[in-house]
Amino acid sequence: MVRHIEIDAGGEAGHGEAASGSAGGWHPLLPRRPGATKHKLLTEAIIADIEAGLLRPRARMPTHRELARRIGVSVQTVSISYKEAERLGYLSGEVGRGTFVRSRITEQADRFMLDRSPGDKADLSIIRAVYTEAHERASRAMMTALAEADNSAFMRPCRPIAGLDAHRAAGQQWVARLGVSTDRNRILITNGAAHGLFLAVAAVVRRGDVVLTESLTDHGIIGLANVLGFTLRGLPTDGEGVLVEAFEAACRSGDVAALVMVPTLGNPTSHVAGAERRRQIAEVARRHGVFVIEDEVYKPLVAEPLPAYAELLPDLAFFVTSFTKSVLTGLRVGYLVVPPQYAIRVASILRVTSWSATNLAAEIATRWVEDGTADELVVLQRAEARARQAIVADVLGAYVAGSHPLSLSAWLAVPPHWSEEGLVRQLARRGIAVTPSDPFVAGEERPAGGIRICLGGRLSHAALRETLEAVRDTFAQLPPIYDVDAIA
């Protein structure tokens, strides 16, 4: 539990809300939690108190030095926490004035909805599918078709929990293209890949269990560790993801419940595990009885046939995918393939958490799978990804540390004369939002840092190039000797 003492604008100490003018007396007591860094705990405290109303919109936060002294952490810890809360839309740093709590409606929307002209702001911090006029036309055509159709088949039912038969049949067809030949009864319809990941993990992992993942991994599994209370350990990786030897060594400890990973176009480094690597990982998991949960939300973008763990380990592997990264960002529907013996258990977790997936979204996905629209939009995504990665290579090639021709993001090395924090801050001043390494770090071991840039959304090629040129120019600059904002 985090406790607080607030001081209102008049300076009197007390419990309760901080006045909108000042949060200078805010005093979180950070709990001890194994595996959690101090800056993560502080970030969580900031977000929790904003959501609870203890930190009011437009309240000025304590200075970095003052809060560090007050709670007994380093100034760097406070700086990292403030920047992460800023990246997530909860705080706003203003040059020469300090750091303020954002308005949770207008300012947060302004922070994330940044597909604008290159002279304004560009949000490269969120992985989204590319959105073009073809996507707009397909969406409008679908809305028209649905409006004119009898909707009783998909709008009236509230069962079955796992999904309507027609929707699961389309899912069976879609995952077969991704290397999973399975019985329809092993497929559940989900509200996107994050939902599927939660269901899979909740089915086999208990509080206190050890779960393995990439040392730099998608923040979704990091968040689940906090929610479900398991211990997350990061494994060293290379260009194909998790190292087999490291996985074997971790399994020998005897306390590993599952390996959760993104084998194809892994976030944030864009690694792709080849067929042999997948077979080797599967063999280690089989010997030690460790579950493998593969998040394959990006796999439709890669045309190369790659074996699925659900095929290599039918009794131990869960396969998760969705349409959000390959077809349409707003099409939040996905498929979860479970081991045969877990179909009933996972359906029961689905029932108590969301009853079922949304039939309307699943109906759209089903129609697009059946009429070929989904395939057409995937081909378009591939072409756009290649074009945008070519721009990245041309403009930022010297800084690229991880990428793939079909990835919707790129991982950039930080020049020796910059820190991640400093780069993120300077780019924000130029209206460019990016993501540092901290949200992707699993466990206590910190791998080499970097900055992720995302290439999807509605930015034109010209706007993307201009934005990346601004990133390159910032990387090439020497940082300021004295940064007022960093210690304000």
Side-chain angles (χ1 to χ4, degrees), residues 120-201:
D120 195 352
K121 293 183 178 181
D123 189 353
L124 306 184
S125 69
I126 303 174
I127 297 183
R128 293 166 290 184
V130 173
Y131 194 91
T132 68
E133 287 304 313
H135 296 86
E136 184 73 15
R137 289 193 298 272
S139 299
R140 289 180 177 275
M142 177 56 68
M143 296 303 110
T144 299
L146 290 173
E148 296 174 349
D150 177 7
N151 64 20
S152 60
F154 56 89
M155 290 298 285
R156 298 180 189 177
C158 62
R159 290 180 181 273
I161 301 299
L164 300 178
D165 287 344
H167 297 167
R168 296 171 83 182
Q172 184 180 25
Q173 180 182 343
W174 187 254
V175 300
R177 303 176 192 179
L178 305 179
V180 183
S181 298
T182 184
D183 186 278
R184 188 184 310 174
N185 293 326
R186 291 175 55 194
I187 298 176
L188 291 88
I189 309 300
T190 68
N191 291 317
H195 186 205
L197 184 65
F198 170 82
L199 295 173
V201 173

Side-chain angles (χ1 to χ4, degrees), residues 391-439:
I391 296 173
V392 171
D394 183 44
V395 177
L396 292 171
Y399 300 107
V400 175
S403 68
H404 187 281
L406 295 170
S407 178
L408 294 171
S409 65
W411 186 242
L412 306 181
V414 177
H417 52 277
W418 277 105
S419 66
E420 289 183 35
E421 168 75 9
L423 270 178
V424 171
R425 185 179 295 275
Q426 289 295 328
L427 290 171
R429 289 170 180 161
R430 302 189 68 166
I432 301 170
V434 298
T435 308
S437 65
D438 187 66

Side-chain angles (χ1 to χ4, degrees), residues 58 86 92-100 107 485 488:
R58 301 305 302 154
E86 184 176 339
S92 173
E94 299 183 14
V95 178
R97 297 190 63 225
T99 302
F100 296 83
E107 289 190 74
D485 289 346

Side-chain angles (χ1 to χ4, degrees), residues 460-483:
S460 68
H461 292 182
L464 177 63
R465 177 176 289 276
E466 187 168 342
T467 301
L468 296 183
E469 287 172 349
V471 172
R472 179 193 60 198
D473 293 345
T474 303
F475 274 42
Q477 291 288 321
L478 292 175
I481 295 175
Y482 181 75
D483 191 340

Side-chain angles (χ1 to χ4, degrees), residues 97-116:
R97 297 190 63 225
T99 302
F100 296 83
V101 178
R102 283 186 180 272
S103 164
R104 299 301 297 140
I105 301 176
T106 58
E107 289 190 74
Q108 181 174 332
D110 182 64
R111 167 65 180 80
F112 285 107
M113 301 302 291
L114 300 179
D115 285 324
R116 302 180 185 172

